[in-house]
Amino acid sequence: MSAQKRRAAVLGSPIAHSLSPVLHRAAYEELGLSDWSYDRFEIDEAALPGFIGELGPEWAGLSLTMPLKRAIIPLLDEISGTAASVEAVNTVVFREDGRKVGDNTDVPGMVAALRERGIEQVASAAILGAGATASSALAALARICTGEVVAYVRSDARAAEMRQWGERLDVAVRTEAWEDAREALDAPLVIATTPAGTTDALSALVPERPATLFDVLYDPWPTELAARWSAYGGAVVSGLDLLVHQAVLQVEQMTGHAPAPLGVMRKAGEHALAAR
């Protein structure tokens, strides 16, 4: 497959901050795919159909970030069950027959990141936030959580959305007000899906013996919550862990080479973040 030039890229808006080119290029170099390239393109929902329509046969795949994970779906020939379950595609692979196939590697990426830290199964969990990442977190918990998931949200509308996602994904979801989010910190697994700074006030409330925190942010890192959690001896999974694990799956799908070099990709991401 590397005999001819092959292209892949990440699309989104804004996109300048994306670490995906760093991770994928590191993988290509390690795998000896010297004729592969991976770029980034600032593309919004309005520009997406035109961009997709102009892609030539050299294209192998695309990574999608916000706000394109739903907008891409009508432009595809097929999507995986995982992508359908959360109505979000972050990976497109162009088949040799011309078909465009969408998948979601965020969900199995979350599961893999937790498994890497020894988290195979939990009896219950808490989610901080109710945005797009929260639905992926619920889908991941559908695979590893045997009991109730409590979501802490800021509005009745968000609460209703999370309960609907729970029904769809067959996860027992209870919603609570954000004002009670301190109660989340006692859960066996806490997944923070909120924007930077949102959980800072909770850092002073971390229990003396916390369990596991999965904070989906990676820049800036560590968050105040993750730093306090780690200082108290709790296990912390970072947004970089998620980013690398989902990118590993993307590389494998787009190139056909498996396993992708997880360690090399993580190191490249760490170096890029340190340089910022």
Side-chain angles (χ1 to χ4, degrees), residues 49 89 96 210 248 263:
V89 165
E96 289 186 6
V248 160

Side-chain angles (χ1 to χ4, degrees), residues 41-264:
F41 291 93
E42 181 83 19
I43 301 289
D44 61 14
E45 292 149 299
L48 184 61
F51 183 90
I52 297 296
E54 294 175 2
L55 298 181
E58 73 277 14
W59 283 86
L62 297 170
S63 307
L64 287 305
T65 186
M66 300 305 291
L68 305 179
K69 292 185 180 184
R70 254 180 211 171
I72 188 68
I73 293 175
L75 306 177
L76 303 176
D77 298 300
E78 177 187 340
I79 65 172
S80 68
T82 300
S85 73
V86 291
E87 295 181 359
V89 165
N90 77 328
T91 307
V92 175
V93 175
F94 299 101
R95 305 292 190 205
E96 289 186 6
D97 62 4
R99 290 174 61 79
K100 300 182 287 291
V101 180
D103 192 15
N104 185 303
T105 64
D106 286 330
V107 175
M110 282 187 173
V111 175
L114 287 165
R115 184 175 293 130
E116 187 180 31
R117 303 302 173 88
I119 309 297
E120 299 276 352
Q121 191 176 82
V122 291
S124 62
I127 295 178
L128 299 174
T133 307
S135 61
S136 291
L138 266 183
L141 289 171
R143 304 184 182 192
I144 67 167
C145 184
T146 60
E148 185 179 62
V149 176
V150 185
Y152 293 84
V153 301
R154 291 191 180 277
S155 71
D156 291 341
R158 289 292 199 182
E161 285 179 10
M162 287 299 284
R163 290 193 295 269
Q164 288 170 2
W165 279 116
E167 290 177 10
R168 180 169 183 165
L169 295 163
D170 197 24
V171 179
V173 175
R174 173 164 58 90
T175 55
E176 298 290 350
W178 181 261
E179 289 73 23
D180 297 321
R182 65 180 300 165
E183 297 172 5
L185 307 183
D186 292 317
L189 171 62
V190 181
I191 305 182
T193 70
T194 52
T198 307
T199 62
D200 288 357
L202 294 174
S203 62
L205 306 173
V206 174
E208 288 187 10
R209 294 183 179 180
T212 300
L213 170 69
F214 193 157
D215 195 323
V216 303
L217 296 174
Y218 62 84
D219 187 16
W221 185 264
T223 62
E224 289 190 22
L225 180 61
R228 180 66 65 91
W229 200 276
S230 182
Y232 279 21
V236 175
V237 184
S238 76
L240 181 60
D241 294 321
L242 168 59
L243 192 66
V244 171
H245 276 282
Q246 65 83 28
V248 160
L249 297 170
Q250 289 185 334
V251 168
E252 292 174 354
Q253 288 190 32
M254 293 179 192
T255 70
H257 288 260
L262 173 69
V264 168

